[in-house]
Amino acid sequence: MTIKTPGLDTRVTHCGRAPAQHFGAVNTPVYRASTILFPNLAALEAKESARLRYGRRGTPTTHALEDAICALEGSDRALVAPSGVNAISTVLMAFAEPGAHFLVTDSSYGPTRKFCEHTLRKFGIETTYYDPTLGAGIESLIRPETRLIWMESPGSQTFEVQDVAAITEAARRHGITTVIDNTWSGGYFFQPITHGVDISIQAGTKYISGHSDLMLGTIACQAPVYERLRETYLRFGVCVGADDAYLALRGLRTMGVRMRHHHSSGIRVANWLAEQPEVLQVLHPALPSHPGHALWKQYFTGASGLFGFVMKPVDHDALARMFDGFTLFGMGSSWGGFESLIVPSNPAVYRTATTWAPGGQTVRLHIGLEDPEDLIDELRKGLDRLRP
């Protein structure tokens, strides 16, 4: 008899839960713990093989979250970190060795680049930034000392879609580990590990949380690289508080309905923006006009609420009039919560392998869970304020 694999919505609803182990409680309780007691000397002496041994190494709450991340991302193992940046730095340090060479997409998250430039460089690791649209051509950049290829798809702020399978195939031929920042999809619309990627990281602060109330990073990986990652993780004393792990688990339970709303509302707003005379370009992979649309259709099952657009050139006073009048759109860092956000951005300052010169002001939007018609009305009034 063929056993049907549960669908993703079913997995995120039930993963990381074991009510029978917690007196029937539907949710895994918050275990706040440092010391773990053992019933006898034999158990104490065998504690290295026990999953529960010391609070910093995990509690039932954090282990439940790790199990849930595995179910979400389709990975063998997972680790959870106190922020997305901590997850990034843990992975980078796990593969750092003197003389090593890393390949990092030119569209990567700013703190990823900064860690490479300001921390890894001190340890003798060289980073080469590559065009995110390179695909299989990345093989020409691989050296004998290349140890890691870093992807982010879609790219931070500029939303290029990468040919993940082509890059991982090239890496595999040379025995190189591949990593992807999968925060944009939340792990819900894309499972890169099923396409051959070794490690998928997320800022769980975003869509896993979904409520703008916790800091979290996740590292999902295949078994062959787990011990290397875990060794670095433990040496740096990385750990997550049980309360934050509990909030992340709670966020996961509603991920499906949230992500579908972000998808539909984001596309609705993006299509409206594309028709406005003040807009030069909309940077949304789900639109057929996007250069990476075919790759997006190949790899993704949906789109999150994060995308960008480029405005026709405006002076700073006009930009301030537009932004300062918003009430539904907040101005602030992060994204992935229930609320909509808008910020101006300047991706050019992070580019070295490619040039970002779109001809106007780049703006990043996060479309939250509000009625999309209300958000469109607010954007319409904002564009009207550009005129003195």
Side-chain angles (χ1 to χ4, degrees):
M1 183 178 66
T2 302
I3 299 175
K4 182 181 181 295
T5 301
L8 186 54
D9 282 336
T10 301
R11 296 201 302 274
V12 298
T13 300
H14 292 275
C15 59
R17 295 200 301 113
Q21 297 177 18
H22 306 291
F23 305 98
V26 169
N27 295 302
T28 302
V30 176
Y31 283 86
R32 301 183 185 92
S34 56
T35 300
I36 304 297
L37 298 178
F38 294 84
N40 51 53
L41 183 60
L44 178 66
E45 291 174 341
K47 73 176 182 178
E48 288 304 309
S49 61
R51 194 175 191 191
L52 289 175
R53 41 187 145 162
Y54 184 56
R56 177 169 53 77
R57 291 171 173 254
T59 69
T61 316
T62 55
H63 290 159
L65 178 56
E66 290 171 350
D67 293 343
I69 296 303
C70 288
L72 173 68
E73 294 260 19
S75 64
D76 294 331
R77 303 298 297 269
L79 297 163
V80 290
S83 70
V85 170
N86 186 273
I88 289 167
S89 58
T90 296
V91 172
L92 288 169
M93 285 302 298
F95 294 89
E97 55 188 53
H101 173 243
F102 289 177
L103 286 168
V104 175
T105 176
D106 206 35
S107 59
S108 62
Y109 179 47
T112 303
R113 296 181 72 107
K114 289 178 180 178
F115 193 85
C116 292
E117 295 301 310
H118 298 286
T119 303
L120 294 184
R121 182 177 289 177
K122 297 177 184 178
F123 294 95
I125 294 96
E126 181 184 354
T127 302
T128 296
Y129 298 99
Y130 66 90
D131 185 333
T133 65
L134 200 54
I138 199 168
E139 194 153 19
S140 65
L141 300 178
I142 292 174
R143 308 176 188 172
E145 64 271 20
T146 304
R147 297 291 177 267
L148 197 73
I149 297 178
W150 190 280
M151 296 171 278
E152 181 172 337
S153 186
S156 184
Q157 299 189 24
T158 47
F159 305 96
E160 298 91 342
V161 183
Q162 296 193 258
D163 192 343
V164 173
I167 292 172
T168 56
E169 286 170 11
R172 196 176 300 114
R173 285 192 291 271
H174 295 268
I176 298 168
T177 300
T178 52
V179 187
I180 192 167
D181 187 328
N182 194 31
T183 306
W184 185 85
S185 87
Y188 186 83
F189 289 134
F190 181 40
Q191 290 79 41
I193 285 176
T194 66
H195 292 271
V197 178
D198 297 304
I199 303 164
S200 175
I201 66 163
Q202 288 193 57
T205 305
K206 274 69 170 178
Y207 287 121
I208 290 174
S209 162
H211 293 79
S212 301
D213 56 3
L214 71 91
M215 303 299 297
L216 183 76
T218 66
I219 305 168
C221 66
Q222 293 298 72
V225 296
Y226 174 72
E227 288 302 330
R228 183 166 187 167
L229 290 167
R230 185 171 174 273
E231 177 68 18
T232 301
Y233 179 91
L234 292 175
R235 296 290 78 77
F236 278 97
V238 179
C239 57
V240 169
D243 294 88
D244 285 345
Y246 181 90
L247 287 173
L249 284 165
R250 186 180 68 172
L252 272 173
R253 308 309 177 200
T254 62
M255 191 175 217
V257 291
R258 288 189 287 106
M259 295 305 286
R260 287 190 289 274
H261 191 97
H262 289 304
H263 167 92
S264 60
S265 295
I267 290 175
R268 174 75 184 91
V269 174
N271 279 320
W272 179 83
L273 281 168
E275 298 172 351
Q276 305 314 302
E278 298 88 353
V279 175
L280 287 173
Q281 181 184 6
V282 176
L283 309 171
H284 195 307
L287 298 190
S289 59
H290 190 277
H293 180 67
L295 282 173
W296 174 80
K297 288 180 67 177
Q298 178 181 337
Y299 291 113
F300 292 81
T301 59
S304 71
L306 189 75
F307 66 96
F309 67 96
V310 180
M311 297 168 54
K312 290 181 179 178
V314 294
D315 61 39
H316 190 268
D317 288 343
L319 195 67
R321 286 196 303 273
M322 174 183 171
F323 274 70
D324 292 351
F326 288 131
T327 56
L328 297 179
F329 283 95
M331 287 185 283
S333 299
S334 200
W335 40 272
F338 56 83
E339 79 287 4
S340 292
L341 299 171
I342 187 168
V343 290
S345 63
N346 182 19
V349 300
Y350 293 111
R351 297 305 180 103
T352 54
T354 56
T355 301
W356 182 254
Q361 174 66 56
T362 307
V363 177
R364 191 183 74 181
L365 285 174
H366 178 255
I367 302 303
L369 303 183
E370 302 93 341
D371 189 313
E373 296 306 317
D374 293 332
L375 298 177
I376 288 171
D377 183 60
E378 175 139 304
L379 287 169
R380 179 185 294 110
K381 292 174 181 175
L383 292 175
D384 288 343
R385 289 192 296 272
L386 290 173
R387 295 182 287 274

